[in-house]
């Protein structure tokens, strides 16, 4: 285990340097206030504490966007567009941002941030493999949060969302841990259900989560706090911001199911999120939890809460 942990640390350090360099290149032409890059990084370690983060600080895709933006009708442009966003997830990100613009205009949530998180967390729901209503055909599950390289979160949902009755797992296109989903769950497509496996529901919930605590995401500090509230890692922060800035430069739309899915994750011992958990119970696709939930409630539910001070490292 010690050797594996050392391997993860070396990989994390290298990823941090590459992500920081990529973000600097991508954001060179952006307006002031969105180009700060924190240094350092944080490796998730086993702990008995429930993390104050949406995803449980679990594994995520570390692939960075290409630095060059092909010109239209460029004969030398690559045939595959690795930055193209599948149609339904793209629609979900934009509708969620529009909804938040009406409900919480002071947040200034850009759809590109939701798209960046969707890319990093699940590859836009495995390349846009969703049904007509935006629901994945099988749950997208993160690694078991059992303290082995990640936080230690004993089961909180009876396996309802993640199919695991021993420990929690992040669930769905935006990778919410069950407790956080219970607090922030939303019905983004108007079907009367709140389902973490539905990209419309998950995108709207993620938007509300990112906008919590009166954050203004048009400011550098507010944006930094929001991203770190999702996963307390500067590697994660740099990777998400790199994708957000790339999407701001332009992103094509591709058909659902044809999007590029990354294959490199922050924990090289963790495969692409698999729909089959290490438990005898099965998740309930489309369950949505039922009923209504008031954001901020839930007792011990890990919400956005307090994030590191913008001037401090989250390490």
């Amino acid at each position: 285990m010690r050797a594996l942990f050392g391997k993860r640390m070396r990989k994390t350090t290298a990823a941090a340097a590459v992500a920081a360099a990529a973000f600097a290149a991508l954001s060179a032409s952006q307006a002031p206030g969105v180009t700060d890059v924190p240094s350092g990084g944080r490796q998730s370690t086993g702990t008995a504490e429930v993390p104050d983060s949406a995803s449980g600080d679990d594994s995520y895709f570390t692939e960075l966007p290409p630095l060059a933006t092909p010109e239209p009708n460029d004969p030398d442009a690559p045939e595959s567009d690795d930055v193209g966003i599948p149609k339904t997830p793209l629609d979900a990100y934009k509708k969620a941002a529009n909804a938040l613009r009406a409900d919480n205009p002071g947040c200034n949530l850009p759809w590109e941030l939701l798209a960046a998180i969707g890319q990093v967390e699940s590859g836009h729901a495995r390349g846009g493999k969703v049904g007509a209503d935006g629901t994945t055909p099988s749950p997208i599950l993160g690694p078991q949060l059992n303290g082995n390289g990640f936080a230690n979160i004993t089961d909180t949902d009876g396996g309802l969302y993640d199919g695991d009755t021993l420990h929690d797992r992040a669930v769905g296109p935006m990778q919410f841990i069950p407790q956080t989903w219970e607090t922030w769950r939303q019905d983004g497509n108007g079907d009367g259900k709140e389902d973490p496996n539905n990209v419309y529901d998950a995108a709207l919930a993620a938007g509300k989560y990112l906008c919590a605590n009166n954050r203004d995401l048009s400011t550098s500090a507010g944006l930094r706090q929001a991203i770190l509230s999702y996963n307390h890692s500067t590697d994660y922060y740099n990777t998400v911001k790199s994708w957000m800035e790339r999407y701001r430069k332009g992103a094509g739309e591709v058909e659902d199911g044809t999007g590029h899915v990354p294959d490199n994750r922050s924990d090289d011992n963790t495969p692409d999120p698999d729909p089959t958990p290490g438990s005898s119970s099965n998740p309930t696709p489309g369950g949505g939890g039922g009923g209504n939930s008031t954001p901020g409630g839930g007792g011990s539910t890990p919400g956005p809460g307090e994030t590191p001070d913008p001037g401090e490292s989250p390490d």
Side-chain angles (χ1 to χ4, degrees):
M1 179 61 189
R2 182 173 300 174
L4 175 58
F5 183 78
K7 182 179 179 182
R8 291 175 183 163
M9 287 295 289
R10 289 192 296 273
K11 180 175 180 181
T12 298
T13 302
V18 174
F23 171 67
L26 285 165
S27 59
S29 63
Q30 298 300 314
V34 297
T35 60
D36 67 317
V37 181
S39 61
R42 172 179 174 273
Q43 173 67 33
S44 299
T45 58
T47 174
E49 297 180 359
V50 175
D52 180 21
S53 65
S55 64
D57 292 347
D58 73 351
S59 181
Y60 58 90
F61 287 119
T62 60
E63 180 176 297
L64 298 173
L67 294 177
T69 304
E71 294 294 331
N73 303 318
D74 181 358
D76 297 325
E79 294 183 2
S80 62
D81 181 9
D82 288 354
V83 299
I85 303 175
K87 180 178 180 179
T88 297
L90 178 59
D91 186 52
Y93 304 142
K94 290 184 175 180
K95 285 185 175 178
N98 286 337
L100 266 295
R101 191 173 296 115
D103 294 344
N104 188 355
C107 176
N108 295 301
L109 173 72
W111 70 261
E112 292 92 345
L113 174 57
L114 291 176
I117 291 176
Q119 160 67 19
V120 169
E121 293 290 350
S122 70
H124 302 307
R126 300 193 187 110
K129 292 182 180 178
V130 296
D133 67 345
T135 303
T136 60
S138 60
I140 300 175
L141 301 176
Q144 188 182 63
L145 298 175
N146 58 10
N148 184 16
F150 303 107
N152 185 2
I153 308 181
T154 303
D155 175 55
T156 63
D157 66 333
L160 175 63
Y161 297 118
D162 58 14
D164 195 325
T165 57
L166 297 177
H167 294 273
D168 276 349
R169 296 168 180 258
V171 181
M174 304 301 277
Q175 290 288 277
F176 277 96
I177 54 175
Q179 277 190 310
T180 308
W181 178 255
E182 276 298 306
T183 298
W184 296 96
R185 60 189 184 183
Q186 299 291 318
D187 177 9
N189 61 352
D191 64 356
K193 295 184 293 185
E194 299 156 332
D195 184 359
N197 300 297
N198 181 280
V199 69
Y200 288 99
D201 296 357
L204 183 57
K208 288 185 174 289
Y209 180 93
L210 293 164
C211 286
N213 297 332
N214 297 314
R215 295 190 187 104
D216 180 356
L217 304 190
S218 68
T219 69
S220 177
L223 182 62
R224 180 174 186 268
Q225 287 181 338
I227 296 173
L228 289 175
S229 77
Y230 223 90
N231 187 313
H232 297 155
S233 163
T234 50
D235 295 352
Y236 181 87
Y237 171 87
N238 288 336
T239 303
V240 167
K241 287 195 74 176
S242 293
W243 279 104
M244 184 182 74
E245 296 302 334
R246 180 59 181 82
Y247 289 145
R248 280 177 167 170
K249 289 177 177 291
E253 178 183 294
V254 299
E255 292 300 317
D256 288 342
T258 67
H260 170 70
V261 182
D263 59 6
N264 52 338
R265 300 190 67 82
S266 58
D267 181 342
D268 56 14
N269 193 42
T270 302
D272 185 4
D274 190 278
T276 306
S279 170
S280 59
S281 59
N282 294 317
T284 306
N292 296 315
S293 176
T294 302
S300 61
T301 303
E306 299 296 325
T307 55
D309 184 83
E312 298 177 355
S313 169
D315 300 66

